[in-house]
Amino acid sequence: MYTSYENCRPISMMSSSDDDGFCQPTDDNIPIIEPDIENLQSISSVENLIDDPCLKNQVDKTIDDALNSTLVSNLKSALGLIGADEFKIEIVEDIIFSGTDQDAETVPVNAYNIQIGLNPDLAESSQEYITATIYHEFLHAIWSFHRMKKELHDTSYTTPILTKLDNLASTGLNINDSDHSLMFSDYMTELRNAVKSIHPDIEDSDLEAITLYGITPLTPEQDVINSSHRNGNSGTICN
């Protein structure tokens, strides 16, 4: 059983004036899509520039064009928002994060390209943790492409996603926090299913912890699980 966070807000997004408390989740069965990933063929508009062999292989798995998860489908749709092969993503190792607790960052570099920088230390993490990190960043990238289309290519463009993000921004949240609030309220199922499509045997409690990390504060139990995956002591070892 998984936990549903529909219509909830991350604890970090709540102010001291909130008197309704943290939204209490309910258990929810989530259907899992398990596509065949034996023969990898990467999404053409995503370039994997990672050097570490194991980390590079995990990135390749997340961008396999044959994957049928909703998140991957939404990524491909976002890449095509202004025409085929116009928007692009490159994934690199960013040594500035080495030795820190920051796993990754997603940054638009011009009107057409987004760069996802991964902490090289992720090569020591579990494969499941790496996958969750990359898909988390893909959600940032998807919404960045929507923002880029409106701000740089078509000012009349609108979509419910942008409306939700604009509403969150109007409360004073920055872009990163707005993204995380939307992930928490609307996209946890999509994120977990994407990770599960590559790692179908992951324990539910592990999946919960590694996908919530970076979005909302974890419980003490979830923090132990997540740290164990991040340090390579749990899950499938990369190296």
Side-chain angles (χ1 to χ4, degrees):
M1 301 286 285
Y2 301 96
T3 305
S4 173
Y5 296 93
E6 292 297 323
N7 301 314
C8 299
R9 286 171 293 166
I11 295 173
S12 59
M13 300 302 143
M14 299 182 69
S15 69
S16 58
S17 62
D18 287 318
D19 58 9
D20 54 348
F22 174 57
C23 181
Q24 295 298 315
T26 57
D27 287 332
D28 183 27
N29 281 316
I30 298 174
I32 300 300
I33 302 168
E34 299 182 17
D36 178 11
I37 59 170
E38 290 183 358
N39 298 307
L40 298 179
Q41 182 175 352
S42 297
I43 300 170
S44 62
S45 297
V46 182
E47 188 174 7
N48 181 359
L49 300 176
I50 298 294
D51 293 323
D52 180 88
C54 188
L55 186 55
K56 185 178 184 70
N57 183 52
Q58 295 312 305
V59 172
D60 279 339
K61 289 181 180 179
T62 67
I63 59 176
D64 176 22
D65 199 37
L67 288 172
N68 194 33
S69 68
T70 303
L71 195 156
V72 171
S73 295
N74 286 339
L75 176 65
K76 289 190 282 189
S77 294
L79 285 162
L81 279 172
I82 61 171
D85 298 322
E86 293 292 334
F87 280 152
K88 294 185 184 296
I89 294 174
E90 62 177 25
I91 304 174
V92 302
E93 291 165 280
D94 196 333
I95 60 172
I96 195 173
F97 300 137
S98 185
T100 74
D101 61 1
Q102 183 163 347
D103 292 324
E105 185 175 42
T106 296
V107 180
V109 293
N110 54 42
Y112 298 93
N113 298 310
I114 283 176
Q115 183 178 90
I116 296 176
L118 299 181
N119 187 332
D121 297 344
L122 286 172
E124 304 299 324
S125 301
S126 73
Q127 294 181 21
E128 294 86 351
Y129 187 90
I130 296 168
T131 299
T133 299
I134 295 168
Y135 280 141
H136 176 122
E137 296 306 314
F138 280 169
L139 285 173
H140 283 300
I142 289 168
W143 300 331
S144 290
F145 283 132
H146 282 283
R147 292 183 179 105
M148 288 161 64
K149 176 172 181 175
K150 181 175 181 61
E151 295 170 6
L152 302 173
H153 301 279
D154 180 2
T155 56
S156 66
Y157 176 68
T158 186
T159 177
I161 291 174
L162 285 179
T163 299
K164 288 184 177 183
L165 291 170
D166 287 345
N167 288 339
L168 288 166
S170 70
T171 68
L173 295 179
N174 61 34
I175 289 176
N176 203 48
D177 286 344
S178 295
D179 282 5
H180 287 158
S181 186
L182 186 58
M183 286 182 199
F184 188 76
S185 64
D186 290 18
Y187 287 86
M188 290 309 302
T189 297
E190 186 171 311
L191 178 56
R192 289 181 300 214
N193 279 351
V195 175
K196 191 85 170 180
S197 70
I198 296 177
H199 306 287
D201 297 325
I202 187 173
E203 294 289 336
D204 293 350
S205 57
D206 290 36
L207 181 62
E208 184 96 348
I210 66 175
T211 52
L212 282 174
Y213 179 65
I215 296 175
T216 191
L218 304 181
T219 66
E221 294 80 7
Q222 289 170 339
D223 187 56
V224 169
I225 293 171
N226 182 74
S227 295
S228 187
H229 272 275
R230 189 175 193 270
N231 297 329
N233 296 321
S234 294
T236 309
I237 303 305
C238 190
N239 284 326

